[in-house]
């Protein structure tokens, strides 16, 4: 049941193996029905009854701390050098150095030398042995079990120096892995810190400051200049520029007036605002973003699934190889037992699947976090990988490649009236209409300060236009068909209408029952950036771009040619768009659909990757699409594709690095050159390379 579900934040979760063991321990609690552990987000969801003490006891082996999600528990920020495990690593290094000083002065077998190396092993490997020995007793074989066997084996055959170095280097690689995951998780923590925790509210005549959890829908939020907005809502008083970069990635502040929507976590720059709260704190846009990013980081990408399956068989195989290396040469070929047992231990160390297991999640978590900071919400590793493989992209026209808001582009005068008077008459009639074309005329009239004429007797003529009386004279405004019924159009009017329609514009005529006064052309404006973005996509190697529109073929072709898309499909209903996406998938394989997430839902759902425009404040876009561009701007599309490709490339590099280094090290067994030193360097080196390579994704920005 939903009320039995508890969500917690975790601190000290160091590795994927520890996460799996922690989850298994929690499942062992009798009162727990189910548990989901999100390693990337360091988040735990428990179905059933379990206390924080029980959960921390389940994670005691790794020092995991558990905090309820909504608690005000202050986050303990520790320096890398002050963490207990890192201090013990440094002490271990100190004892190892001292051991080597005595090694060169007194020899390897001297009690002082052995004592220094033994101290290094015990101090640096104490927690490792605790877990490793417990696992060994239970016959659970993970990385710590393998390392424990290797170090104890090294001590038994008298390789104290190498045992100490192995302990230090393993502890160092664990510390670096933990550090890299903390860095990757910081992307979510930075998102969580965006919105204020308290809000100033006016209730009746009283102004109070309360926790955001206590704010109710309908409360009036008071926002001063320079303050962050605490909740999603609608402006009811005031006007101001709002910096929405945290939500949408837009660098330019957006001017907000009464009736406009504002989002939690955005910055009020200049004016004072009163905002009516429209969503509870858990439903705000930033809360949804955090939730979706966490879910995305938990979802296993295809390459991660491959690595997980591979590691499942890989670890037992390595143990078997190590055993065979240790016993076959002495038994069959008369080899020296100590030498081949040593080589077997080295195989065990080099075979640790640490780098392999880390190769994908660090890259995925880092990339998704980077995208979220740049106003792109990617809802899972699978969508990140699929975006990197795209060959074709289909675009909805209205509101995606165009502004989605028609504007007056041409006024052709066919009488003795001037442009201002034409707009005054048109505005007087159209102010009664709800049609988008009417609002375009009204906006144009306001911009040129047209006179405010009064019209009476407004009548809508369905599908054709409208009429009204101004100063005792009846005027008509509508499509050419309306006027063709009343009078004969001049050749000049027909030529002008044909020319404007060929340019993809909608033409309205203004006149009386006896004459046409003017032609007014209206068109949905192409976004300024659309053409350059289509060009960037072609440069990125996208093989095919197509515009899908419900407009007539003439308008579609005109706009498509201006944008530079390779193909245009016009006069499409939503179901036709779906058919078109399926056809493209047959031809190109991986296809993206870019739309507004509402009327394009079927096509977005069918495409390999559905990309929604303007996800901020649009629930349908956040729910329907695989990727949401939070700003109403296509600029983020080339960035998203190149980030995805870079992530794919880095994952492939990571898996190759991890396997190649191990294969090279294992081949050194044949001539007998594989030492514990080389083994741990191969293992740690692979882990370090993988982590550092993945961290390069932190720096990827929108160009």
């Amino acid at each position: 049941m939903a009320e039995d579900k508890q969500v917690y934040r975790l601190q000290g979760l160091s590795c994927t193996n520890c996460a799996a063991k922690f989850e298994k321990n929690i499942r062992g609690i009798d009162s727990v029905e189910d548990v989901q552990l999100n390693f990337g987000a360091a988040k735990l969801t428990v179905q059933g009854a379990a206390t924080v003490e029980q959960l921390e006891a389940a994670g005691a082996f790794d020092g995991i701390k558990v905090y309820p999600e909504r608690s005000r528990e202050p986050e303990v920020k520790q320096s890398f050098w002050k963490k207990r495990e890192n201090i013990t690593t440094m002490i271990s290094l100190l004892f190892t150095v001292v051991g080597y000083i005595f090694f060169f002065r007194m020899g390897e077998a001297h009690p002082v030398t052995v004592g220094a190396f033994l101290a290094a092993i015990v101090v640096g490997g104490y927690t490792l042995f605790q877990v490793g020995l417990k696992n060994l007793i239970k016959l659970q074989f993970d990385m710590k079990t393998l390392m424990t066997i290797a170090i104890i084996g090294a001590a038994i055959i008298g390789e104290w120096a190498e045992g100490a170095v192995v302990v230090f280097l393993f502890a160092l690689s664990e510390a670096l892995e933990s550090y890299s995951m903390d860095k990757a998780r910081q992307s979510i923590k930075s998102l969580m810190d965006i919105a204020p925790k308290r809000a100033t509210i006016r209730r009746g005549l009283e102004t109070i400051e309360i926790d955001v959890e206590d704010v109710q829908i309908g409360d009036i939020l008071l926002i001063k200049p320079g303050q962050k907005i605490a909740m999603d809502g609608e402006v009811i008083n005031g006007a101001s520029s709002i910096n929405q970069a945290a939500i949408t990635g837009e660098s330019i502040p957006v001017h907000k007036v009464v009736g406009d929507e504002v989002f939690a976590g955005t910055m009020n720059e200049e004016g004072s605002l009163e905002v009516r709260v429209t969503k509870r704190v858990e439903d705000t846009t930033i809360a949804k973003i955090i939730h979706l990013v966490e879910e995305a980081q938990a979802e296993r990408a295809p390459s991660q699934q491959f690595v997980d399956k591979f590691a499942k068989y890989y670890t037992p195989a390595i143990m078997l190889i190590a055993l065979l290396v240790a016993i076959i040469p002495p038994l069959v070929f008369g080899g020296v037992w100590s030498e081949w047992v040593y080589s077997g231990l080295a195989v065990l160390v080099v075979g640790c699947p640490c780098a392999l297991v880390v190769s994908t999640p660090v890259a995925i978590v880092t990339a998704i976090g980077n995208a979220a900071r740049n106003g792109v919400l990617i809802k899972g590793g699978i969508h990140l990988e699929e975006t990197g493989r795209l060959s074709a992209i289909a675009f909805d026209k209205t509101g995606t490649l165009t502004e989605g808001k028609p504007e007056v582009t041409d006024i052709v005068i066919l009488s003795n009236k001037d442009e201002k008077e034409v707009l005054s008459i048109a505005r007087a009639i159209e102010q009664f209409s709800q049609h988008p074309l009417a609002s375009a005329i009204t906006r144009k009239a306001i911009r040129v300060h047209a006179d405010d004429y009064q019209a009476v007797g407004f009548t809508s003529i369905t599908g054709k236009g409208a009429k009204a009386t101004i100063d005792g004279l009846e005027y008509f405004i509508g499509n050419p068909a309306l006027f063709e019924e009343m009078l004969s159009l001049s050749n000049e009017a027909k030529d002008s209408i044909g020319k404007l329609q060929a340019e993809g514009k909608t033409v309205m005529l203004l006149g009386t029952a006896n004459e046409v006064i003017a032609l007014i052309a209206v068109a949905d404006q192409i976004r300024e950036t659309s053409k350059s973005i289509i060009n960037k996509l072609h440069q990125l190697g996208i093989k095919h771009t197509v515009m899908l529109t419900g407009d007539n073929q003439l308008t579609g072709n005109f706009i498509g040619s201006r944008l530079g898309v390779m193909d245009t499909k016009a006069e499409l209903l939503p179901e036709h768009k779906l058919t078109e996406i399926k056809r493209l998938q047959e031809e190109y394989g991986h296809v993206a659909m870019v739309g507004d997430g509402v009327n394009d839902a079927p096509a977005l759902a069918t495409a390999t990757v559905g990309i929604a425009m303007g996800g901020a404040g649009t629930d349908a876009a956040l729910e329907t699409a695989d990727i949401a561009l939070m700003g109403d701007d296509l600029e983020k599309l080339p960035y998203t594709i190149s980030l995805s490709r870079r992530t794919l490339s880095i994952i492939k590099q990571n898996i190759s690095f991890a396997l190649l280094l191990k294969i090279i090290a294992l081949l050194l067994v044949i001539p007998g050159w594989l030492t514990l030193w080389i083994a741990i360097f191969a293992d740690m080196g692979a882990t370090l390379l993988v982590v550092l390579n993945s961290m390069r994704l932190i720096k990827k920005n929108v160009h």
Side-chain angles (χ1 to χ4, degrees):
M1 291 172 68
E3 54 265 34
D4 292 336
K5 192 170 80 170
Q6 303 296 325
V7 182
Y8 301 93
R9 297 273 164 199
L10 305 172
Q11 281 183 11
L13 191 63
S14 60
C15 68
T16 47
N17 274 342
C18 305
K21 186 174 178 184
F22 181 41
E23 189 174 335
K24 187 179 177 184
N25 289 351
I26 296 169
R27 285 187 194 280
I29 300 170
D30 292 337
S31 54
V32 170
E33 295 164 27
D34 194 18
V35 57
Q36 286 97 34
L37 197 154
N38 182 334
F39 176 65
K43 186 177 175 181
L44 178 72
T45 305
V46 177
Q47 198 90 19
T51 64
V52 169
E53 290 74 23
Q54 283 178 301
L55 297 173
E56 288 192 344
F61 69 92
D62 200 31
I64 297 166
K65 293 290 175 192
V66 180
Y67 301 110
E69 186 179 35
R70 299 216 173 271
S71 73
R72 296 270 172 191
E73 195 70 43
E75 187 186 333
V76 183
K77 289 200 174 179
Q78 273 188 304
S79 158
F80 179 80
W81 305 108
K82 289 183 180 176
K83 285 188 176 179
R84 187 179 59 82
E85 59 268 31
N86 296 348
I87 292 170
T88 56
T89 303
M90 292 304 110
I91 295 170
S92 173
L93 173 64
L94 183 65
F95 277 122
T96 304
V97 171
V98 170
Y100 269 102
I101 292 169
F102 289 125
F103 178 90
F104 292 120
R105 293 265 177 101
M106 304 175 183
E108 187 178 3
H110 195 281
V112 178
T113 307
V114 172
F117 285 135
L118 181 59
I121 290 169
V122 171
V123 172
Y126 180 70
T127 53
L128 165 68
F129 298 142
Q130 266 188 320
V131 180
L133 289 169
K134 278 181 191 172
N135 288 353
L136 195 55
I137 292 163
K138 294 176 187 174
L139 297 178
Q140 292 175 350
F141 296 101
D142 64 4
M143 284 177 283
K144 289 184 177 175
T145 318
L146 301 186
M147 296 306 293
T148 302
I149 295 168
I151 293 157
I152 292 171
I156 289 169
I157 60 174
E159 296 289 348
W160 295 100
E162 298 206 5
V165 172
V166 165
V167 165
F168 164 68
L169 292 175
F170 181 74
L172 183 61
S173 73
E174 290 263 286
L176 289 168
E177 185 187 332
S178 172
Y179 175 75
S180 72
M181 281 309 300
D182 285 345
K183 275 283 189 190
R185 287 182 188 130
Q186 202 57 45
S187 61
I188 289 181
K189 287 179 185 154
S190 62
L191 282 174
M192 292 173 74
D193 293 338
I194 285 172
K197 299 288 185 284
R198 291 178 69 77
T200 305
I201 296 292
R202 191 180 70 225
R203 285 180 180 164
L205 299 173
E206 191 182 9
T207 300
I208 51 173
E209 187 178 309
I210 59 175
D211 289 346
V212 288
E213 285 85 0
D214 300 324
V215 176
Q216 303 295 318
I217 292 173
D219 279 344
I220 306 303
L221 193 62
L222 306 179
I223 303 133
K224 295 175 185 173
Q227 274 190 338
K228 275 189 175 180
I229 297 169
M231 305 288 286
D232 282 16
E234 182 186 337
V235 178
I236 58 167
N237 193 14
S240 180
S241 288
I242 305 291
N243 186 332
Q244 299 191 150
I247 303 289
T248 65
E250 295 166 284
S251 54
I252 300 166
V254 180
H255 191 66
K256 301 281 185 176
V257 294
V258 173
D260 285 345
E261 188 176 19
V262 292
F263 307 113
T266 57
M267 176 69 77
N268 178 27
E269 297 210 329
E270 47 194 36
S272 293
L273 292 175
E274 290 184 15
V275 171
R276 182 189 295 109
V277 175
T278 55
K279 292 178 183 174
R280 290 184 56 77
V281 66
E282 61 268 23
D283 298 323
T284 59
T285 303
I286 187 69
K288 282 185 177 172
I289 292 170
I290 292 164
H291 174 71
L292 289 167
V293 169
E294 288 177 338
E295 293 303 304
Q297 292 184 337
E299 186 185 319
R300 295 195 181 282
S303 54
Q304 193 172 342
Q305 288 170 353
F306 158 74
V307 166
D308 290 347
K309 282 178 189 169
F310 185 79
K312 191 176 170 184
Y313 300 105
Y314 170 86
T315 306
I318 284 292
M319 293 194 69
L320 183 62
I321 291 167
L323 182 65
L324 295 175
V325 166
I327 64 172
I328 296 292
L331 286 177
V332 179
F333 304 109
V336 180
W337 275 99
S338 61
E339 288 178 10
W340 285 103
V341 167
Y342 176 86
S343 291
L345 294 173
V347 169
L348 213 54
V349 173
V350 83
C352 275
C354 186
L356 204 58
V357 170
V358 167
S359 62
T360 307
V362 177
I364 294 283
V365 167
T366 307
I368 288 173
N370 179 316
R373 285 199 311 278
N374 282 294
V376 178
L377 193 57
I378 302 172
K379 289 166 65 175
I382 186 167
H383 308 307
L384 182 73
E385 290 195 15
E386 293 288 14
T387 304
R389 299 188 180 101
L390 289 176
S391 299
I393 302 178
F395 297 89
D396 172 47
K397 178 184 79 74
T398 309
T400 301
L401 294 170
T402 65
E403 298 285 357
K405 191 167 75 172
E407 295 291 347
V408 173
T409 56
D410 303 84
I411 297 174
V412 180
I413 307 295
L414 298 173
S415 64
N416 57 0
K417 296 187 186 298
D418 62 17
E419 188 175 297
K420 197 171 180 180
E421 191 172 0
V422 164
L423 283 168
S424 300
I425 296 166
R427 176 191 179 186
I429 305 169
E430 294 287 34
Q431 66 185 336
F432 297 103
S433 173
Q434 299 299 313
H435 198 280
L437 300 180
S439 58
I441 288 171
T442 304
R443 284 194 300 273
K444 176 74 171 178
I446 291 168
R447 279 201 294 271
V448 301
H449 306 291
D451 297 326
D452 193 8
Y453 288 0
Q454 296 301 311
V456 294
F458 173 84
T459 306
S460 176
I461 304 165
T462 307
K464 292 179 182 174
K467 63 178 180 177
T469 302
I470 302 167
D471 291 338
L473 188 59
E474 189 175 51
Y475 288 94
F476 293 81
I477 187 165
N479 59 27
L482 173 66
F483 281 83
E484 282 170 348
E485 290 175 4
M486 296 188 294
L487 50 84
S488 178
L489 295 177
S490 67
N491 289 333
E492 183 189 356
K494 286 178 181 176
D495 289 345
S496 297
I497 290 166
K499 185 182 170 191
L500 292 166
Q501 285 179 335
E503 292 173 3
K505 296 168 184 174
T506 301
V507 182
M508 290 185 287
L509 282 61
L510 176 70
T512 64
N514 302 317
E515 68 166 334
V516 177
I517 297 169
L519 309 178
I520 303 172
V522 176
D524 186 3
Q525 297 299 290
I526 292 171
R527 291 178 188 266
E528 286 180 19
T529 54
S530 290
K531 187 173 183 180
S532 66
I533 287 159
I534 298 291
N535 193 34
K536 277 184 192 172
L537 293 173
H538 291 156
Q539 287 172 1
L540 278 170
I542 296 296
K543 293 175 187 170
H544 192 74
T545 51
V546 58
M547 183 179 78
L548 309 179
T549 177
D551 279 351
N552 65 64
Q553 196 70 51
L554 204 62
T555 303
N557 288 342
F558 179 78
I559 292 173
S561 63
R562 283 187 60 194
L563 287 167
V565 290
M566 293 176 172
D567 194 9
T568 300
K569 301 291 180 184
E571 298 174 21
L572 301 178
L573 294 171
E575 57 266 32
H576 297 147
K577 289 184 181 179
L578 180 66
T579 308
E580 190 57 32
I581 292 293
K582 286 179 177 174
R583 186 191 66 77
L584 287 168
Q585 283 175 322
E586 284 174 17
E587 190 173 347
Y588 295 99
H590 293 78
V591 177
M593 171 69 192
V594 186
D596 61 14
V598 184
N599 53 7
D600 296 315
L604 284 169
T606 304
T608 315
V609 182
I611 302 171
M613 290 281 291
T618 313
D619 289 346
L622 288 176
E623 287 160 17
T624 310
D626 304 316
I627 295 174
L629 309 180
M630 299 307 289
D632 194 19
D633 182 9
L634 272 178
E635 280 284 355
K636 306 288 189 314
L637 188 55
Y639 151 79
T640 306
I641 290 170
S642 78
L643 173 72
S644 301
R645 286 182 178 176
R646 194 168 176 202
T647 306
L648 268 182
S649 170
I650 281 176
I651 288 169
K652 285 173 187 168
Q653 289 167 16
N654 286 350
I655 293 171
S656 302
F657 283 156
L659 289 175
L660 190 65
L661 274 172
K662 289 182 186 303
I663 289 165
I664 291 169
L666 287 172
L667 288 173
L668 295 178
V669 171
I670 298 164
W673 297 344
L674 181 63
T675 65
L676 279 173
W677 280 69
I678 292 172
I680 193 66
F681 268 119
D683 180 56
M684 193 198 93
T687 304
L688 193 55
L689 274 172
V690 158
V691 165
L692 293 176
N693 197 35
S694 298
M695 299 307 278
R696 290 193 297 143
L697 289 163
I698 286 177
K699 302 292 182 189
K700 178 77 185 169
N701 291 316
V702 179
H703 296 302

